[in-house]
Amino acid sequence: MNSIGQPIRRGVGGFADGIKYFLQGVAWVARHPRQWLFGLVPALIALVLYVVALVLLGGYAGDIAAWATPFADDWGPALRDTLRFLLGIAVFALGLVLSVVTFTAATLAIGEPFYEKLSERVEDDMGGVEKAADVPLWRSIIRSVRDSLITLGYVLMFTVPLFILGFVPVIGQTVVPVLGAAVSGFFLTVELTALAMERRGLGRRQRFAALRADRSPALGFGVLVFLVFLIPFGAVVAMPAAVAGATIMVRTRLPAGPASSPPGR
């Protein structure tokens, strides 16, 4: 049972089930190409913003490295410049990692009306949702931004230490990438399932509780999405399918029904 008394349907496939839901999302947008194009708009907007931000970060990475290492001002030029060059690369690499794990949250915040409509159309195509939560659009957008910022805080708690551990020999090249994909994948699932879960009256804490209770499919879905998003332009192209797949997963594993408390509590 989840936190609002609705049974979570656990399949024997676990991790593989999560992969299946994403592939079902791909199949759905393939059958509805107009919805795929519709969902590309906010992803393209977010891509442009992220590219600009990364270009700026790349241009100022050296200045950031110099600001962060005032103790090296009196070092020899070769040692000082090498340290700051390596630190500048690390700063830009961290920016790239954060861009991957935050792209979904930013895109959903920018495209709330787009993805809400896309998710609704997936639901309608599969029979609709009874007693869906009726929340004004402006309130939904504010809540989405707030929840995304809270989720981002959790992501940073894990991502930054893992990024630092990535420089540790052996562990950084074996264990850390696996843990990083798992953490990033889980939080991607949190973000992508938010629309369908909110439609069922689940607030942020309830959504987290439901996904933790059904962790294997959440990881299977999120890790695959994370790997796809690592492909250049993969996040833009696959975003509509990810939203559709997340909606299918919620619909399959968390049946629609009356919630015992309104969303946001």
Side-chain angles (χ1 to χ4, degrees):
M1 302 287 285
N2 68 9
S3 60
I4 61 172
Q6 293 175 315
I8 296 176
R9 296 174 181 171
R10 290 181 175 84
V12 295
F15 192 90
D17 282 347
I19 295 175
K20 177 186 68 178
Y21 297 130
F22 175 72
L23 296 179
Q24 289 177 344
V26 173
W28 190 90
V29 296
R31 294 193 303 270
H32 303 81
R34 289 185 179 180
Q35 300 305 314
W36 176 70
L37 292 172
F38 179 76
L40 285 182
V41 175
L44 288 171
I45 294 173
L47 175 65
V48 171
L49 295 176
Y50 269 78
V51 168
V52 171
L54 287 173
V55 169
L56 290 174
L57 179 62
Y60 287 98
D63 294 335
I64 294 173
W67 170 81
T69 57
F71 56 85
D73 288 343
D74 297 329
W75 292 8
L79 183 60
R80 181 188 63 227
D81 293 345
T82 300
L83 171 67
R84 289 176 175 173
F85 175 74
L86 293 175
L87 183 58
I89 292 176
V91 168
F92 186 74
L94 179 59
L96 283 175
V97 172
L98 292 178
S99 70
V100 173
V101 299
T102 62
F103 182 85
T104 298
T107 304
L108 289 174
I110 294 170
E112 173 79 17
F114 290 82
Y115 294 122
E116 176 67 33
K117 184 59 66 176
L118 189 153
S119 181
E120 285 181 357
R121 287 169 178 167
V122 174
E123 298 266 27
D124 292 341
D125 194 46
M126 300 180 69
V129 180
E130 295 180 2
K131 299 182 179 180
D134 185 14
V135 180
L137 177 60
W138 65 269
R139 184 175 296 176
S140 177
I141 293 175
I142 292 175
R143 188 175 65 217
S144 175
V145 173
R146 180 201 63 195
D147 289 353
S148 293
L149 290 174
I150 293 173
T151 302
L152 175 60
Y154 286 115
V155 172
L156 293 176
M157 286 174 56
F158 292 97
T159 302
V160 174
L162 286 174
F163 179 80
I164 295 172
L165 287 175
F167 294 97
V168 177
V170 182
I171 294 177
Q173 292 74 48
T174 55
V175 177
V176 171
V178 175
L179 290 177
V183 170
S184 300
F186 179 80
F187 284 109
L188 280 174
T189 302
V190 170
E191 292 288 348
L192 289 164
T193 56
L195 293 170
M197 287 194 176
E198 285 179 355
R199 192 173 298 116
R200 287 158 173 78
L202 277 74
R204 175 176 52 82
R205 293 181 181 178
Q206 295 168 321
R207 299 197 302 271
F208 267 96
L211 291 172
R212 284 198 304 268
D214 207 20
R215 190 176 296 112
S216 291
L219 285 173
F221 179 84
V223 168
L224 179 56
V225 171
F226 174 73
L227 294 176
V228 171
F229 280 14
L230 289 178
I231 301 171
F233 303 105
V236 176
V237 175
M239 190 67 183
V243 172
T247 303
I248 294 170
M249 180 169 70
V250 171
R251 185 177 182 86
T252 303
R253 308 191 75 86
L254 187 65
S260 59
S261 61
R265 289 189 180 179

